[in-house]
Amino acid sequence: MVTSVGFNYRHAPAVERARELVRSGRLGRITNVRGSLLAGYSSDPAAPLTWRFERDRAGSGVLGDLLSHGLDLAQYLVGRIASVTALAETFITERPLPGAGIVDRSAAATGDRRPVENEDYAALLFRFDDGAVGTMDSSRVMRGPHAEYTIEVYGTAGSIRWDFQRMNELQVCLDGQETHGYTTVYVAPGDGEFARFQPGAGTAMGYDDLKTIEAAQFLASVRSGRQLAPSVADGLAAASIVEAAEASLADGAWHDVARVDGLLTADAPTPVF
């Protein structure tokens, strides 16, 4: 049975190029990874207490909502995360209840207030299977950022930096460049699925194109019987890191990430479909 999980940041052509640089050894031995997923969609303390803030319905807060995507991206680029320690904080500790029939966070709220039951902010330290280390933090209440999702991978022979807000660009530094520092590389045909959308570098793809790639991978998986799209095992792998992080929040210790059986497409070659 084939499955699909919406880890669509993987599908950005700049991320696919970054993965090729990492997995081919062009960056040398990977030493550390740094990620950040900052948003302000819950920064208004007057916004109502929707399901996202309730433990019974949402589980964790920003850990499962945003960080799960960043953690999958880290594993897609570098490899499996083996252990983690974490801290978290809830900055807006209570919110007004929504009015009758209101479910949207931007809608008017009643005067009744209830506690927020999960975290607004979380920060993780982690180790990969191969010994590389990483840091990642995320917030849903930042004033300023809207979708500032970044990931950086550092190695002994270079590094890469990617920012979702500049989705079609990749910052690359490699040993041997005439000027040692970051070069802005614009994605082009040959990078991921870029050629299916645009004829040449400098013509931008958008977020909805990543959703189109997500749907196409799933359909190709169904047609071929091969798991090409991010799998349920990939989703469970990210959830297992979140689970270990939540255990760390309870006792302040490092926790091993439960090993996931099944096909992780994060470990497989970049899919061709």
Side-chain angles (χ1 to χ4, degrees):
M1 181 178 67
V2 299
T3 56
S4 184
V5 175
F7 287 140
N8 37 69
Y9 301 112
R10 287 187 186 191
H11 306 320
V15 170
E16 297 288 16
R17 177 179 280 206
R19 187 175 196 254
E20 181 182 355
L21 290 169
V22 172
R23 299 281 178 142
S24 67
R26 294 287 304 282
L27 301 188
R29 178 177 59 84
I30 302 304
T31 56
N32 59 294
V33 173
R34 185 170 68 169
S36 187
L37 297 97
L38 307 179
Y41 58 80
S42 298
S43 60
D44 182 359
L49 188 88
T50 63
W51 64 270
R52 287 185 181 276
F53 306 105
E54 298 179 3
R55 171 66 65 171
D56 284 347
R57 292 201 283 174
S60 62
V62 76
L63 267 169
D65 190 12
L66 292 180
L67 270 171
S68 59
H69 288 275
L71 294 166
D72 175 75
L73 203 54
Q75 294 201 125
Y76 187 65
L77 290 172
V78 176
R80 294 204 194 190
I81 292 172
S83 59
V84 63
T85 187
L87 65 82
E89 189 59 68
T90 305
F91 300 127
I92 301 174
T93 57
E94 62 177 21
R95 292 182 179 273
L97 291 176
I102 294 174
V103 295
D104 187 80
R105 62 176 175 267
S106 63
T110 70
D112 296 328
R113 305 181 72 85
R114 294 289 186 275
V116 172
E117 298 175 349
N118 51 29
E119 73 284 346
D120 289 328
Y121 173 86
L124 277 59
L125 295 171
F126 47 88
R127 294 186 181 277
F128 292 89
D129 276 352
D130 66 359
V133 298
T135 64
M136 193 170 289
D137 72 337
S138 186
S139 175
R140 63 188 180 188
V141 297
M142 286 291 195
R143 292 286 188 170
H146 294 289
E148 190 176 299
Y149 306 156
T150 62
I151 192 157
E152 306 168 6
V153 180
Y154 296 90
T156 55
S159 64
I160 60 94
R161 302 173 66 182
W162 180 71
D163 183 347
F164 171 66
Q165 295 180 126
R166 305 182 72 89
M167 192 180 87
N168 296 281
E169 302 175 16
L170 185 66
Q171 301 294 309
V172 180
C173 176
L174 296 174
D175 282 357
Q177 292 179 184
E178 183 176 347
T179 302
H180 196 67
Y182 282 113
T183 298
T184 299
V185 177
Y186 292 91
V187 292
D191 296 323
E193 302 303 321
F194 185 86
R196 297 181 187 265
F197 297 89
Q198 302 296 351
T203 307
M205 287 174 57
Y207 174 76
D208 291 338
D209 296 327
L210 304 186
K211 300 299 288 185
T212 300
I213 296 170
E214 177 187 328
Q217 279 193 0
F218 176 61
L219 292 174
S221 297
V222 172
R223 186 178 65 249
S224 67
R226 296 183 297 130
Q227 183 66 54
L228 303 172
S231 67
V232 164
D234 289 296
L236 181 57
S240 295
I241 304 170
V242 170
E243 183 178 43
E246 289 206 290
S248 176
L249 295 178
D251 63 14
W254 279 85
H255 283 260
D256 291 338
V257 175
R259 200 72 177 179
V260 173
D261 295 325
L263 175 62
L264 270 69
T265 59
D267 294 338
T270 301
V272 176
F273 63 100

